Amino acid sequence: MEITTGTKVRSFDFAQFGSGRDLTGDRACYVEGIVQGIDSAVGYDRYIIKVTRDVFGGQDMDRRVGETVYPPVNGTLAISGVTDYVEAINESH
């Protein structure tokens, strides 16, 4: 599924460091939210995501709920490789 404005997504915090994409348990660290657009002000494209859910260490938190996060657009070249840390959430399940 293509990620565009209005897409509900999940952005993993530490996937680039090998911690995976766990949705439960101590290694589950991610935010969910709605893509508001794409920003390129810092020299590379970043998703603009309004956070609706914040999970850290497998626990629901409220620290980032309502905030905006800016992970790199999938396919961006980074020190850790090519980014792919944001996934569309299929709401039909």
Side-chain angles (χ1 to χ4, degrees), residues 8-47:
K8 184 171 183 179
V9 295
R10 182 177 297 119
S11 177
F12 293 92
D13 292 343
F14 305 112
Q16 70 270 32
F17 301 115
S19 63
R21 296 171 184 257
D22 291 355
L23 299 180
T24 60
D26 293 345
R27 293 171 51 138
C29 297
Y30 58 89
V31 295
E32 294 179 354
I34 307 297
V35 175
Q36 305 297 300
I38 295 178
D39 172 50
S40 60
V42 295
Y44 61 92
D45 290 342
R46 305 179 301 168
Y47 297 111

Side-chain angles (χ1 to χ4, degrees), residues 1 5 15 23 27-28 31-33 47 66-68 75 78 90-91:
M1 173 183 229
T5 299
L23 299 180
R27 293 171 51 138
V31 295
E32 294 179 354
Y47 297 111
E67 300 292 324
T68 304
N90 185 349
E91 297 198 284

Side-chain angles (χ1 to χ4, degrees), residues 52-78:
T52 58
R53 182 177 183 209
D54 181 7
V55 174
F56 191 83
Q59 301 295 314
D60 277 296
M61 311 293 271
D62 61 3
R63 184 181 49 133
R64 295 181 287 180
V65 173
E67 300 292 324
T68 304
V69 296
Y70 302 88
V73 167
N74 292 342
T76 300
L77 183 60

